[in-house]
Amino acid sequence: MTSSNLDQIFQTAASAPTEEVITEEVVIVKEANVENLIFKMVELASYLYHLNIQAHLIHLNLEAPNFLELHKFLKKQYVQHTADFDELSELVRSMDFLLPMCQKGLLGAYKGFKTTKTYDAVASLTLYTKNLEAGGMMTKDVYDMAKEVGAPDIENKLAEICGNMFKSAWKLKSSLR
């Protein structure tokens, strides 16, 4: 393959009908359509990215009597959040839409995330648990929209993500009691 063939391939790819979700211009309407579904999926991807960071930082900074178990658990969590983020984002791309290109844009796609402001193990794990439950509920809402739009592949992935979040919240609540 010559470089001129590569140039032609890249030019063709650049003119593909890929769309970017621009959060500043999106008006959130409860209407179930592909554009709103994509917006909600990008918002959920942002939430998963926030969860990944939160779980990772708690994992690194945790000091508690049950450190060893929680340290392992939190590592599994941030790995799972990364996998869920990646698979959900690939579904966005499979529908020919783009995600934000930088971390600032990605983190900004979900502005209401509750961040940990303490090094206290119980307080930070409690907030993380609440975030998992809120994420699970958000995932249920996106699932409902995917069902209305007729996207069973997205429904399946969302059901899996929802299950991951609620199961993890249950394990943490049981550990904190």
Side-chain angles (χ1 to χ4, degrees):
M1 184 173 285
T2 66
S3 64
S4 62
N5 286 349
L6 285 175
D7 289 339
Q8 185 180 19
I9 290 168
F10 289 133
Q11 287 175 352
T12 303
S15 64
T18 302
E19 297 180 47
E20 181 177 7
V21 176
I22 302 171
T23 56
E24 290 78 20
E25 295 179 15
V26 174
V27 177
I28 300 173
V29 179
K30 198 77 167 150
E31 179 184 338
N33 60 44
V34 173
E35 289 77 17
N36 284 345
L37 175 61
I38 295 297
F39 178 81
K40 289 300 200 179
M41 289 171 68
V42 170
E43 190 176 56
L44 181 57
S46 173
Y47 196 91
L48 287 164
Y49 197 78
H50 281 284
L51 280 173
N52 170 307
I53 294 167
Q54 188 170 61
H56 209 148
L57 291 173
I58 295 170
H59 160 85
L60 293 170
N61 290 309
L62 184 71
E63 292 185 353
N66 52 351
F67 168 80
L68 291 175
E69 297 85 15
L70 286 169
H71 187 74
K72 284 183 207 173
F73 173 79
L74 289 165
K75 182 172 186 169
K76 287 179 186 172
Q77 286 301 113
Y78 69 75
V79 167
Q80 185 64 59
H81 296 318
T82 299
D84 289 344
F85 165 81
D86 189 62
E87 291 173 26
L88 182 66
S89 298
E90 286 174 355
L91 286 169
V92 169
R93 292 296 294 130
S94 75
M95 294 177 69
D96 218 11
F97 285 82
L98 297 170
L99 282 94
M101 192 54 136
C102 67
Q103 66 203 33
K104 183 178 179 183
L106 179 62
L107 290 170
Y110 186 83
K111 294 176 180 28
F113 190 82
K114 307 283 189 267
T115 57
T116 306
K117 295 176 176 47
T118 180
Y119 287 93
D120 178 71
V122 173
S124 60
L125 289 168
T126 300
L127 180 61
Y128 175 63
T129 302
K130 288 179 182 178
N131 283 339
L132 286 168
E133 290 177 329
M137 295 307 291
M138 182 191 328
T139 303
K140 287 181 179 192
D141 291 339
V142 182
Y143 175 94
D144 290 342
M145 188 177 283
K147 189 173 187 97
E148 282 187 62
V149 170
D153 53 338
I154 295 169
E155 287 177 64
N156 288 337
K157 185 60 201 167
L158 292 168
E160 188 180 312
I161 292 170
C162 184
N164 292 340
M165 287 197 215
F166 281 115
K167 186 174 183 180
S168 298
W170 158 65
K171 288 180 178 182
L172 278 170
K173 286 190 282 188
S174 294
S175 297
L176 292 168
R177 287 187 179 132

